[in-house]
């Protein structure tokens, strides 16, 4: 993503004369420079030449489409840019769109304002003209309002940029399934053809034997080096250390990681799934390797859950550079005390150490499922703080992105639970959140994040053209039900039936 950029298109017209247009260009340069100097601008903004005619607008939109380094477009109407001029270009534009409604001056110069000033600074109605044509054309876009120097305005554009990065990363992204999804499970399955049409991802299966072949190619010297790295990075259980009675299990995990990493790199995959029901030729279900690969940015979904693997990858691209981290997660069991209801989130093995509150412990324990050797895994607690769970589900005629905002909390020690875990309280409360989640058809697998925000996922869903449903502090079940009913009608009329 380091070479990608966003284009800033300023609209005007020739009615105001060459001197005014020169000032418009200079003001645009000032705004772009200011944006590029902020920490929240995670994708550099470029300023093409001012567009003032239908031909200029159309050619600029065509150029944006053709430029692989351009991943999005911000528009602003400094003056009154006639909206019909934009129809041909916006019809062709295929990049995510953000409409910035701002003006160059912060305050009205009450003592000196004259008609020249008024003619030059017409964004108050110029952007409304633009907004009408965007709505008339049914364009998905983000609208940000306020002065360009306002930190909130800059932050919201930065959020949109992160969503654009996540979306761009999925275009052409390849995800591999080692085997099929867990037998008889519904929500982890879905229409991969529709997903490729909607999100730009491809999901294909490789037999676990292909992974076994890659694992068998790993050299002993590489295994030894990685085991040494494990001992430096984690609190490794004595039995797993060199000379310990379980050290061969650690060596096998190093071999698994190196083979899996080589397979993913050779195939240019950005994520993967596996299932404990299809491990023929493997001694263990990959635990430690999957945790470490997720920490390096790979998307993952357990039991063949390719939708969550893609979502986790996109969320990791969105949160890159932020504190907190993102992980594959599962709602595992509840604490239903009269004093307060909480959720224990975990999984058999595969929780990302990117969300660890401290130095993870590398341990080996029985899994109790799958019939293979005891797997090695990283054990840790996740930190407290605001977080969210996101679920991508296939409803047959459309995809729904479901988000529940939560607050991770302190919890008692769990001395006999040998997995990574987080405990959270749902917003607005446990009963409302769980009822709403179930009514919306949310999965038990999620992308769990301290860094990705609801606004990022809203922007991502808007770019992807999919439904977003949010459960937050303001959720009320009666209103939530009506929203779901309204969405059924809207998406049926907007997209039609899809087999």
């Amino acid at each position: 993503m380091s070479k990608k950029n966003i284009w800033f298109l300023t609209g005007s017209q020739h009615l105001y004369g060459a001197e005014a247009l020169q000032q418009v260009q200079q003001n645009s340069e000032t705004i772009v420079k200011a944006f590029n100097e902020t920490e929240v601008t995670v994708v550099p903004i470029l300023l093409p030449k001012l567009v003032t005619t239908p031909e200029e607008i159309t050619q600029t939109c065509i150029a944006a489409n053709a430029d692989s380094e351009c991943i999005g477009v911000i528009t602003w109407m400094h003056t009154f840019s006639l909206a019909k001029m934009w129809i041909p270009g916006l019809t062709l534009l295929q990049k995510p769109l953000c409409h910035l409604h701002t003006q160059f001056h912060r305050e009205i110069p009450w003592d000196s304002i004259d008609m020249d000033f008024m003619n030059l600074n017409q964004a108050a109605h110029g952007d409304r003209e633009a907004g009408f044509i965007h709505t008339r054309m049914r364009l998905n876009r983000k609208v940000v309002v306020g002065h360009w120097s306002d930190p909130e305005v800059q932050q919201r554009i930065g959020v949109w940029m992160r969503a654009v990065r996540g979306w761009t990363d999925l275009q052409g992204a390849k995800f591999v399934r080692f085997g099929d999804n867990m037998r008889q499970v519904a929500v982890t399955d879905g229409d991969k053809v529709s997903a490729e049409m909607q999100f730009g991802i491809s999901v294909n299966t490789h037999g676990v034997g292909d992974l076994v072949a890659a694992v068998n190619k790993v050299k002993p010297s590489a295994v030894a080096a990685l085991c040494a790295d494990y001992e430096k990075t984690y609190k490794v259980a004595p039995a797993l250390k060199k000379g310990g009675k379980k050290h061969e299990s650690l060596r096998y995990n190093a071999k698994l990681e190196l083979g899996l990493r080589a397979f993913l790199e050779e195939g240019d995959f950005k994520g993967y799934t596996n299932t404990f029901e299809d491990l023929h030729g493997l001694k263990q279900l990959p635990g430690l390797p999957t945790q470490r690969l997720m920490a390096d940015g790979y998307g993952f979904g357990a039991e063949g859950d390719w939708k969550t693997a893609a979502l986790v990858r996109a969320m990791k691209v969105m949160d890159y550079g932020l504190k907190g981290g993102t992980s594959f997660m599962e709602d595992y069991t509840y604490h239903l005390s009269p004093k307060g209801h909480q959720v224990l989130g975990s999984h058999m093995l595969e929780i990302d150490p990117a969300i660890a509150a401290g130095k993870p412990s590398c341990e080996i324990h029985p899994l109790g499922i799958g019939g293979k050797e005891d797997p090695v895994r990283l054990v840790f607690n996740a930190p407290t703080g605001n977080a969210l769970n996101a679920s991508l589900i296939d409803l047959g005629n459309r995809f729904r992105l479901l988000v529940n905002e939560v607050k991770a909390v302190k919890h008692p020690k769990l001395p006999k639970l040998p997995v990574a875990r987080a405990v959270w309280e749902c917003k607005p409360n446990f009963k409302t959140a769980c009822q709403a989640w179930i009514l919306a058809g949310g999965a038990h697998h999620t992308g769990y994040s301290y860094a990705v925000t609801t606004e990022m996922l809203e922007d991502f869903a808007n770019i992807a053209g999919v439904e977003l449903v949010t459960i937050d502090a303001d959720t009320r079940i009666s209103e939530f039900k009506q929203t779901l009913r309204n969405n059924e009608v809207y998406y049926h009329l907007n997209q039609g039936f899809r087999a």
Side-chain angles (χ1 to χ4, degrees):
M1 286 290 167
S2 61
K3 296 182 179 179
K4 305 300 182 181
N5 53 63
I6 301 285
W7 287 14
F8 190 98
L9 303 187
T10 305
S12 188
Q13 58 173 304
H14 286 285
L15 180 65
Y16 311 109
E19 184 177 347
L21 292 181
Q22 184 178 9
Q23 188 63 53
V24 170
Q25 180 68 21
Q26 291 175 0
N27 291 350
S28 299
E29 291 172 359
T30 299
I31 292 174
V32 169
K33 183 176 183 292
F35 276 137
N36 282 330
E37 290 175 349
T38 67
E39 293 182 356
V40 296
T41 299
V42 295
V43 182
I45 301 176
L46 301 184
L47 181 67
K49 124 174 150 168
L50 184 67
V51 289
T52 57
T53 67
E55 293 76 19
E56 289 176 349
I57 294 168
T58 300
Q59 289 304 312
T60 302
C61 289
I62 291 173
N65 288 339
D67 189 338
S68 61
E69 295 182 0
C70 172
I71 62 174
V73 171
I74 300 172
T75 62
W76 171 49
M77 307 305 130
H78 190 304
T79 59
F80 193 74
S81 180
L82 311 170
K84 289 173 69 175
M85 297 193 303
W86 288 79
I87 293 175
L90 292 176
T91 300
L92 297 172
L93 185 65
Q94 298 173 337
K95 300 297 172 81
L97 177 64
C98 176
H99 180 193
L100 175 60
H101 181 37
T102 190
Q103 61 188 24
F104 186 71
H105 62 287
R106 178 184 280 276
E107 300 174 1
I108 295 175
W110 302 104
D111 294 336
S112 61
I113 186 171
D114 55 18
M115 284 309 302
D116 287 340
F117 184 96
M118 294 273 280
N119 287 332
L120 181 64
N121 299 282
Q122 298 187 50
H125 61 283
D127 276 325
R128 293 171 191 257
E129 167 80 352
F132 164 75
I133 206 62
H134 297 166
T135 298
R136 179 68 174 80
M137 295 176 70
R138 284 18 179 215
L139 298 180
N140 290 336
R141 81 279 194 192
K142 179 168 188 172
V143 178
V144 178
V145 178
H147 194 259
W148 51 271
S149 66
D150 184 343
E152 181 186 356
V153 169
Q154 297 172 353
Q155 178 68 32
R156 293 197 65 211
I157 290 178
V159 166
W160 174 77
M161 287 179 172
R162 289 185 174 276
V164 171
R165 285 202 315 191
W167 167 256
T168 302
D169 180 74
L170 288 188
Q171 304 314 296
K174 297 163 61 180
F175 293 84
V176 58
R177 302 171 79 195
F178 294 111
D180 206 343
N181 72 305
M182 184 177 176
R183 291 186 281 274
Q184 304 299 330
V185 177
V187 75
T188 57
D189 212 337
D191 186 341
K192 297 189 289 294
V193 173
S194 293
E196 187 157 0
M197 294 165 59
Q198 193 82 54
F199 299 104
I201 63 173
S202 66
V203 182
N204 289 292
T205 298
H206 278 259
V208 71
D210 294 338
L211 175 57
V212 171
V215 170
N216 290 339
K217 292 179 181 178
V218 175
K219 295 180 179 179
S221 59
V223 170
L226 186 52
C227 285
D229 184 61
Y230 291 160
E231 294 198 26
K232 292 178 182 177
T233 307
Y234 312 115
K235 294 182 289 186
V236 177
L240 290 172
K241 291 183 177 181
K242 189 173 182 180
K245 62 181 180 180
K246 295 286 187 179
H247 183 63
E248 282 304 312
S249 289
L250 188 67
R251 286 181 56 83
Y252 183 70
N253 272 261
K255 190 174 181 180
L256 268 178
E257 179 181 336
L258 293 166
L260 184 51
R261 191 181 294 274
F263 186 96
L264 296 173
E265 290 176 355
E266 183 177 349
D268 195 27
F269 295 109
K270 293 184 176 180
Y272 65 100
T273 74
N274 56 29
T275 171
F276 61 86
E277 288 183 328
D278 190 357
L279 295 174
H280 183 70
L282 297 180
K283 296 179 181 180
Q284 299 177 19
L285 175 64
L288 174 61
T290 293
Q291 291 178 292
R292 285 172 53 84
L293 285 164
M294 267 198 291
D296 285 344
Y298 285 97
F300 175 77
E303 291 99 41
D305 188 352
W306 53 270
K307 295 189 298 298
T308 300
L311 178 61
V312 168
R313 167 65 187 192
M315 291 171 69
K316 281 183 168 293
V317 175
M318 290 183 220
D319 82 9
Y320 184 74
L322 296 176
K323 295 180 180 179
T326 295
S327 175
F328 169 78
M329 186 59 75
E330 178 173 273
D331 296 62
Y332 225 95
T333 194
Y334 297 142
H335 180 65
L336 300 182
S337 168
K339 296 181 180 180
H341 295 177
Q342 298 171 336
V343 179
L344 171 62
S346 185
H347 204 257
M348 296 183 296
L349 301 172
E350 308 97 343
I351 302 300
D352 189 341
I355 66 167
K359 192 173 185 178
S361 175
C362 185
E363 304 175 13
I364 182 169
H365 300 276
L367 186 59
I369 193 169
K372 293 290 184 177
E373 291 182 1
D374 298 344
V376 178
R377 79 291 302 270
L378 297 176
V379 179
F380 56 84
N381 291 322
T384 60
N386 291 323
L388 59 76
N389 277 299
S391 172
L392 183 62
I393 53 179
D394 185 349
L395 294 178
N397 68 328
R398 68 186 187 278
F399 290 92
R400 171 179 286 164
L401 182 56
L402 178 61
V403 178
N404 183 201
E405 296 179 354
V406 303
K407 183 178 181 180
V409 297
K410 291 183 179 180
H411 56 82
K413 293 182 179 180
L414 300 164
K416 294 186 178 181
L417 185 64
V419 289
R421 57 279 179 133
V423 175
W424 62 79
E425 296 173 351
C426 304
K427 295 180 182 180
N429 57 69
F430 175 86
K431 292 180 179 179
T432 299
C434 290
Q435 184 179 354
W437 189 274
I438 289 171
L439 286 170
H444 55 285
H445 289 167
T446 63
Y448 175 79
S449 184
Y450 293 91
V452 173
T453 65
T454 299
E455 186 178 5
M456 283 184 209
L457 293 175
E458 179 183 4
D459 290 345
F460 175 82
N462 185 52
I463 293 167
V466 300
E467 176 188 9
L468 177 80
V469 177
T470 303
I471 306 167
D472 57 20
D474 298 323
T475 297
R476 302 293 180 268
I477 288 296
S478 59
E479 298 172 358
F480 191 83
K481 287 181 177 179
Q482 188 59 49
T483 296
L484 296 181
R485 287 191 287 264
N486 294 345
N487 287 0
E488 288 288 352
V489 176
Y490 169 80
Y491 282 96
H492 168 62
L493 296 175
N494 188 50
Q495 297 184 9
F497 286 114
R498 184 166 60 199

